[in-house]
Amino acid sequence: MTEEYARKIISHHYPDAKFEAFAHTDDFMEPEAQIGRGYYYVSLYDEKIESSRLNTNEGVIIIGNTYLSSFAYNLALSWIYESSNGVIGPDFVSPLLKYNLKKFYAEQLYHRHNNVFSRAVLLETLLYEQHLMIPIFAEIDVNTEWAATAKMVSLAMSNFVLFHEVGHYYLQYLPASVDELFTANEAVVKPFLQAVELQYDARLIEEVKCDVFSVYLRLLADKDDKTAMQFSLRATVLGYASMAILYAIQGSAEKTAEEHRKIPDNVELKSIETSTQEYSYILEVPIDDISAEMLLRAKLMITLCESIALKEGIGLYGIEGMLQLSGNALDYLKSFVYKIMEEGSKNERAIARLIAEGFHNHPEGIEYLHLKSKVFKSERELKL
């Protein structure tokens, strides 16, 4: 497969993708890896939140979509930051977690249907809430310890998504390697997968196997370092919990957009009258079959991590270590979904709506603000 062919396929499936980078396994893996024909790995950024594996006539393309993992990264980094300040727990509504989930909801709404409502929600996050994340990112530039933490969190959030897709490739082209990894850890894996295989269909079983593969592939890098393993297991719990919640928010945004498409915006740009048009919205966990499955997979991976931690004598839950974790991470994040659209200030919401109406029939302007609201960091040059 040539890069030209891979680019053609990607442009078809991800026409709005940004920051594409292409590399074949021949470029970064030794031949001794024996992975068949190899595959093209494509890193990109696209609001279609899934990563995926494409089987083409010329070979396999594995897509690592950094959009979803970047939000999981922001949530995890916010979690660590808020934990250090003692504001993670059932008695606290973390403004950082709430903001990042709201920002995700706003972007998913806007991506699906550019109307007054989606623009207004996005503008609320840009005009009045974006400052919340400034200290976290600013600290990375001046605090080497915090920068190292951020790098570890970023790697963890991106790897378990990528490793899941690699798992699909290995199951198809080199299943013996998956069997070998599972056999080496059969004390935990065997009873876990036996229970899964008794309850679910073949498609879901494969997804769970790839999740298990992802967890253990990550643990291989820790080389029996208990501190590193603890971080990896806690990051996995928080990562899967975050992904499940983000998928539910995505589904909620789609349902909301479906309703909004039925009713056009009523904006009179030359009128001094205040608009009285009302907009409803949907926020639910789970919202559809996809988010229900992601919620199930998150619960299964949390169970797996609990079993691994028990076998290895690692404290999965506790306040020691870099990443503090309680046993209710999934339910805790879920509770924030229903708080996303809580009104902070009537005036702020009114101003955000007024500006959103001012962008009526001016998509380039709101897209400019949207892109300027993002923080992109990369080892390579980034171009839109």
Side-chain angles (χ1 to χ4, degrees), residues 150-305:
K151 187 172 183 178
M152 287 180 63
V153 171
S154 176
L155 192 63
M157 293 302 114
S158 60
N159 273 357
F160 81 80
V161 176
L162 172 60
F163 291 168
H164 173 93
E165 298 304 327
V166 172
H168 282 291
Y169 179 88
Y170 273 75
L171 279 175
Q172 182 174 355
Y173 293 100
L174 199 64
S177 65
V178 179
D179 293 338
E180 182 181 351
L181 183 61
F182 287 178
T183 300
N185 299 281
E186 66 178 355
V188 171
V189 174
K190 187 174 181 179
F192 176 81
L193 287 182
Q194 284 177 339
V196 170
E197 289 166 351
L198 286 173
Q199 297 181 68
Y200 307 112
D201 61 29
R203 186 198 59 77
L204 183 55
I205 290 169
E206 178 170 335
E207 294 298 327
V208 174
K209 282 184 176 179
C210 291
D211 288 336
V212 176
F213 177 87
S214 176
V215 172
Y216 276 102
L217 195 61
R218 168 71 190 184
L219 290 174
L220 281 177
D222 298 330
K223 298 179 180 178
D224 298 322
D225 180 333
K226 299 294 186 181
T227 300
M229 290 178 69
Q230 181 187 66
F231 173 80
S232 291
L233 291 172
R234 289 182 176 183
T236 298
V237 169
L238 187 55
Y240 270 92
S242 298
M243 294 292 186
I245 298 306
L246 292 173
Y247 266 87
I249 293 175
Q250 174 202 234
S252 295
E254 177 56 42
K255 296 288 187 184
T256 301
E258 285 177 6
E259 294 303 312
H260 288 186
R261 291 187 197 105
K262 300 173 185 176
I263 307 170
D265 286 332
N266 182 19
V267 178
E268 295 290 339
L269 293 178
K270 295 184 179 181
S271 173
I272 63 171
E273 298 294 331
T274 300
S275 173
T276 59
Q277 185 172 2
E278 296 184 359
Y279 297 88
S280 61
Y281 61 87
I282 300 168
L283 282 165
E284 190 63 53
V285 181
I287 187 67
D288 53 20
D289 290 344
I290 294 175
S291 61
E293 180 176 306
M294 291 301 297
L295 197 64
L296 170 61
R297 285 170 53 190
K299 291 176 180 178
L300 288 171
M301 287 307 102
I302 291 171
T303 298
L304 177 70
C305 289

Side-chain angles (χ1 to χ4, degrees), residues 38-49:
Y39 55 84
Y40 250 100
Y41 171 65
V42 181
S43 173
L44 51 78
Y45 186 93
D46 192 281
E47 283 80 2
K48 290 169 57 178
I49 71 173

Side-chain angles (χ1 to χ4, degrees), residues 18 47 67 103 107 110 122 126 365-374:
K18 308 172 185 68
E47 283 80 2
Y67 178 79
K103 183 75 164 18
E107 290 190 10
Y110 168 70
L122 183 62
L126 302 187
I366 194 67
E367 180 63 13
Y368 173 82
L369 291 182
H370 174 224
L371 287 174
K372 287 293 184 179
S373 75
K374 311 295 287 184

Side-chain angles (χ1 to χ4, degrees), residues 6-125:
R7 286 186 178 277
K8 181 179 179 181
I9 296 296
I10 292 300
S11 65
H12 173 72
H13 287 274
Y14 294 85
D16 299 320
K18 308 172 185 68
F19 312 134
E20 301 104 324
F22 294 76
H24 194 273
T25 49
D26 291 348
D27 301 328
F28 59 85
M29 295 183 79
E30 296 296 328
E32 290 78 10
Q34 296 180 345
I35 57 171
R37 298 171 62 186
Y39 55 84
Y40 250 100
Y41 171 65
V42 181
S43 173
L44 51 78
Y45 186 93
D46 192 281
E47 283 80 2
K48 290 169 57 178
I49 71 173
E50 77 279 357
S51 292
S52 61
R53 174 181 53 97
L54 299 175
N55 289 315
T56 76
N57 293 332
E58 298 294 325
V60 176
I61 301 174
I62 291 180
I63 296 104
N65 186 356
T66 59
Y67 178 79
L68 185 61
S69 60
S70 70
F71 269 95
Y73 161 75
N74 284 350
L75 286 168
L77 207 58
S78 297
W79 184 287
I80 295 172
Y81 189 86
E82 294 282 64
S83 296
S84 67
N85 294 321
V87 289
I88 289 290
D91 298 327
F92 301 100
V93 177
S94 160
L96 292 178
L97 296 179
K98 181 181 176 182
Y99 162 75
N100 280 288
L101 293 174
K102 181 179 179 180
K103 183 75 164 18
F104 182 78
Y105 184 52
E107 290 190 10
Q108 288 296 303
L109 284 169
Y110 168 70
H111 174 66
R112 282 163 172 75
H113 186 52
N114 180 357
N115 71 338
V116 167
F117 181 80
S118 66
R119 294 194 297 272
V121 180
L122 183 62
L123 285 164
E124 279 189 23
T125 68

